[in-house]
Amino acid sequence: MGDVVHNLPVVSDIRLARPDAEIDWVVEDAYADLVALHPGVRQTIRYAGRRWRRAPFASSTHAQVRAFLRALRAESYDAVLDTQSLIKSAVVTRMARGVRFGWTGPACREAAASWFYDWRVDAPRFDQVVAVERYRDLAARALGYTREGPPRYGLEPAVQRPAELPPAVPYAVLLTATARTEKLWPEAHWIAVARALSARGCACVLAWGNEVERERAQRVAAAVGDDPSSASSHAPVRVAAETYGLVQWAGILAGASVVVGVDTGLVFLAAAVGAPVVSIYVATSPAHVGVMTMHPHRNLGDAGAPPSVRDVVDAACALMR
């Protein structure tokens, strides 16, 4: 999901430099509705590789793959860009009709991906440049324009308040979960952050995507609620009652007073919709996957050097709107 959000400014850049451009986006099925929120995308071409791999011999899989290939090859494009530089994305790039652009081998995430491109652009290694700027640069160099200004994500979702929180109370979204356990920040730290924001009158809602994540969020919320020093006047801390869809989360994040989270897709989505963001880095580096936005944000920590609770609370309170 992070890569999807990081590529949204590419669409904005192309449309600014080439107002008549028609842009189609091959995207994993789970993120297609999010990409469709960008007004510069003409159509999404849905790719369901994960689902297809689970049932490679099913007749439904064969039918879906054929439909995907028809959609992919329905147009002859002036340019086909592979910003992801993985073998799987390079193969899809090769199947499209048009001149294919990508990175040289040393700049790719997987060097063999470069074999599938017609034109190769040289650049530093993928982990030496912030992802958003790397993707913008490939498009600009491939299409021959100069990119300008900060990244523009192009998302303006309808604000949606979390149903778990009372009306008219400012709220924070806490993103404690990530798919990679080494990127997690300690639960005790999250409890301290939630407690501090609650004491300042800012309600908190904790997101989750699976049962393990939901249980972690419940432990954090319960610890704050069970704190005997927590006054009744403090704002509530709640766990999201359901796994909202990405379009719903975009609206919830857009309305937040502040979003605090680890290196995960929803943090980047929060930045994309203009929320103040504090992003926490534990096992990854903001030099590669830092939040980039014209809106207020702070990237805290680095690989092997996570931020302190004090740093995160101070940043969240400073950015809170």
Side-chain angles (χ1 to χ4, degrees), residues 198-210:
S198 173
R200 288 165 173 79
C202 184
C204 298
V205 61
L206 288 90
W208 55 278
N210 57 44

Side-chain angles (χ1 to χ4, degrees), residues 240-261:
E242 59 178 293
T243 51
Y244 294 107
L246 287 179
V247 173
Q248 291 174 297
W249 269 121
I252 291 171
L253 294 166
S257 292
V258 68
V259 177
V260 183

Side-chain angles (χ1 to χ4, degrees), residues 43-218:
Q43 70 167 333
T44 57
I45 300 174
R46 295 174 179 249
Y47 174 84
R50 296 175 185 176
R51 185 171 68 245
W52 297 338
R53 286 192 294 272
R54 289 196 295 268
F57 304 112
S59 58
S60 59
T61 296
H62 295 170
Q64 291 168 15
V65 170
R66 288 194 296 270
F68 165 73
L69 291 174
R70 283 196 300 271
L72 180 65
R73 297 183 58 79
E75 298 278 355
S76 182
Y77 295 100
D78 295 303
V80 183
L81 307 180
D82 177 21
T83 62
Q84 199 169 24
S85 68
L86 297 173
I87 292 174
K88 68 175 183 179
S89 59
V91 169
V92 172
T93 301
R94 194 68 197 176
M95 290 189 293
R97 298 168 60 203
V99 182
R100 300 124 180 141
F101 293 85
W103 304 109
T104 57
C108 289
R109 293 187 187 180
E110 296 176 348
S114 68
W115 301 345
F116 296 86
Y117 310 138
D118 300 312
W119 290 91
R120 299 166 185 84
V121 176
D122 197 16
R125 279 177 47 85
F126 74 92
D127 56 355
Q128 295 176 346
V129 182
V130 177
V132 173
E133 295 299 273
R134 171 182 167 87
Y135 300 152
R136 295 179 70 195
D137 187 54
L138 175 62
R141 293 168 69 180
L143 301 182
Y145 62 83
T146 301
R147 59 185 178 88
E148 299 178 356
R152 297 168 295 274
Y153 292 87
L155 301 184
E156 296 182 0
V159 173
Q160 177 177 330
R161 187 175 183 83
E164 299 78 18
L165 300 179
V169 175
Y171 66 90
V173 178
L174 305 185
L175 305 173
T176 66
T178 174
R180 289 170 51 187
T181 57
E182 66 268 24
K183 295 196 293 185
L184 293 173
W185 204 45
E187 285 184 30
H189 290 8
W190 283 113
I191 293 167
V193 170
R195 188 173 292 148
L197 295 178
S198 173
R200 288 165 173 79
C202 184
C204 298
V205 61
L206 288 90
W208 55 278
N210 57 44
E211 189 60 25
V212 171
E213 295 170 359
R214 185 173 72 88
E215 291 174 356
R216 180 187 301 113
Q218 287 175 330

Side-chain angles (χ1 to χ4, degrees), residues 191-310:
I191 293 167
V193 170
R195 188 173 292 148
L197 295 178
S198 173
R200 288 165 173 79
C202 184
C204 298
V205 61
L206 288 90
W208 55 278
N210 57 44
E211 189 60 25
V212 171
E213 295 170 359
R214 185 173 72 88
E215 291 174 356
R216 180 187 301 113
Q218 287 175 330
R219 289 193 296 270
V220 172
V224 177
D226 293 341
D227 181 4
S229 67
S230 179
S232 59
S233 60
H234 288 191
V237 176
R238 300 282 186 266
V239 177
E242 59 178 293
T243 51
Y244 294 107
L246 287 179
V247 173
Q248 291 174 297
W249 269 121
I252 291 171
L253 294 166
S257 292
V258 68
V259 177
V260 183
V262 290
D263 173 13
T264 190
L266 286 180
V267 161
F268 301 113
L269 180 56
V273 298
V277 174
V278 178
S279 50
I280 297 168
Y281 293 86
V282 175
T284 52
S285 175
H288 172 221
V289 287
V291 167
M292 289 197 70
T293 172
M294 67 182 71
H295 301 288
H297 68 284
R298 289 285 303 279
N299 293 319
L300 300 180
D302 209 325
S308 68
V309 170
R310 171 67 66 178

